């Protein structure tokens, strides 16, 4: 039995990251006949940005919540539950201005919850969502896996840091990179990513 949480975040129609993330999740599901797939489509259903309701509620007991605070915590609890229930996360994002999409950042703000997905200990934070595997599917116009682009990739190290905070350290990145490089850049990038996906699913 395997539970897959598929989070997609590109606002672009015909997004490469969304397409490849879906393909990966479906292949993983096929290899786990008893598995389940939960989809969180952040482009179709964007989350609200963190507001004062959420920022204040996380420091209050539930009995003291206003209606807005209670609603923000309910949303966060729902997103946290999806993460905790999953064995595998597949996260697809466009590379936007050297980082992840803003709607994926909102998702992170709701799932990075002290006492829920990590806790503070005398020796530092400890993740509470351990034992999971995460795949990050990242589509970019340019090349960031090697050369001078590495220093400009704020998406991959950031996502790895956030996933590590909640206890997920087994992370594989699938890049669809260089889609804007030349007339066959997108086709080459998608083929390379599909080959990696096929290796993962094999
Ligand atoms: C507003 C915007 C900002 C972008 N910023 C970058 C960038 O900083 N670096 C880059 O290589 N590509 C950038 N791109 C190109 C996207 O990464 C590229 O179109 C990619 O395919 C998007 O992922 P998707 O296909 O999953 O939507 C940007 C695209 C948009 C629309």
């Amino acid at each position: 039995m395997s539970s897959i949480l598929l989070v997609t975040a590109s606002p672009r129609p015909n997004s490469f990251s969304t397409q490849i993330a879906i393909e990966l999740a479906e292949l993983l599901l096929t290899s786990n006949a008893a598995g389940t797939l939960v989809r969180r489509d952040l482009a179709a259903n964007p989350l609200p940005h963190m507001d004062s309701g959420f920022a204040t509620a996380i420091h209050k007991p539930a009995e003291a919540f206003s209606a807005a605070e209670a609603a923000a915590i309910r949303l966060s609890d729902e997103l946290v539950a999806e993460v905790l229930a999953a064995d595998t996360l597949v996260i697809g994002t466009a590379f936007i201005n050297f980082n992840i999409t803003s709607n994926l950042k909102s998702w992170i703000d709701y799932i990075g919850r002290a006492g829920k997905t990590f806790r503070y200990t005398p020796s530092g934070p400890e993740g509470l969502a351990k034992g999971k595997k995460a795949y990050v599917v990242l589509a970019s116009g340019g090349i960031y896996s090697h050369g001078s682009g590495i220093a400009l990739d704020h998406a991959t190290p950031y996502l790895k840091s956030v996933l590590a905070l909640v206890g997920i350290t087994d992370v594989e990145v699938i890049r669809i990179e260089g889609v804007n490089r030349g007339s066959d850049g997108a086709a080459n990038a998608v083929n390379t990513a599909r080959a990696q996906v096929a290796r993962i699913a094999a």
Side-chain angles (χ1 to χ4, degrees):
M1 175 82 178
S2 175
S3 309
I4 301 163
L5 173 61
L6 169 62
V7 181
T8 52
S10 173
R12 283 191 342 106
N14 306 314
S15 150
F16 297 116
S17 63
T18 299
Q19 179 60 38
I20 296 294
I22 290 171
E23 288 177 21
L24 173 58
E26 287 179 347
L27 279 169
L28 292 172
L29 193 63
T30 308
S31 56
N32 284 281
T36 58
L37 175 62
V38 171
R39 172 95 189 263
R40 184 54 77 167
D41 183 343
L42 300 175
N45 300 295
L47 300 169
H49 280 165
M50 179 176 58
D51 62 6
S52 62
F54 183 67
T56 53
I58 54 173
H59 301 298
K60 278 185 174 179
E63 312 80 72
F65 286 170
S66 67
E69 288 166 349
I73 289 294
R74 261 198 312 277
L75 173 60
S76 172
D77 284 349
E78 186 185 337
L79 297 164
V80 164
E82 288 176 358
V83 171
L84 294 178
D87 305 307
T88 305
L89 278 72
V90 178
I91 301 171
T93 181
F95 191 83
I96 300 291
N97 294 318
F98 307 111
N99 214 319
I100 61 171
T101 62
S102 58
N103 55 25
L104 184 58
K105 176 61 166 59
S106 284
W107 179 81
I108 288 166
D109 292 340
Y110 284 108
I111 64 108
R113 282 267 304 280
K116 298 276 184 185
T117 52
F118 72 96
R119 66 188 180 109
Y120 293 107
T121 76
S123 53
E126 179 193 356
L128 299 175
K130 290 182 185 143
K132 303 176 193 300
K133 168 97 189 183
Y135 296 97
V136 169
V137 182
L138 179 66
S140 58
I143 305 277
Y144 297 90
S145 63
H146 57 272
S148 58
I150 290 178
L152 297 173
D153 176 6
H154 301 290
T156 314
Y158 172 68
L159 281 172
K160 284 184 173 172
S161 296
V162 167
L163 289 167
L165 172 72
V166 301
I168 304 172
T169 51
D170 186 359
V171 181
E172 179 165 350
V173 179
I174 297 125
R175 290 179 188 269
I176 311 151
E177 62 176 348
V179 301
N180 295 341
R181 293 275 178 98
S183 55
D184 50 4
N188 289 339
V190 168
N191 286 341
T192 302
R194 283 212 170 106
Q196 188 176 351
V197 164
R199 282 196 300 277
I200 291 165

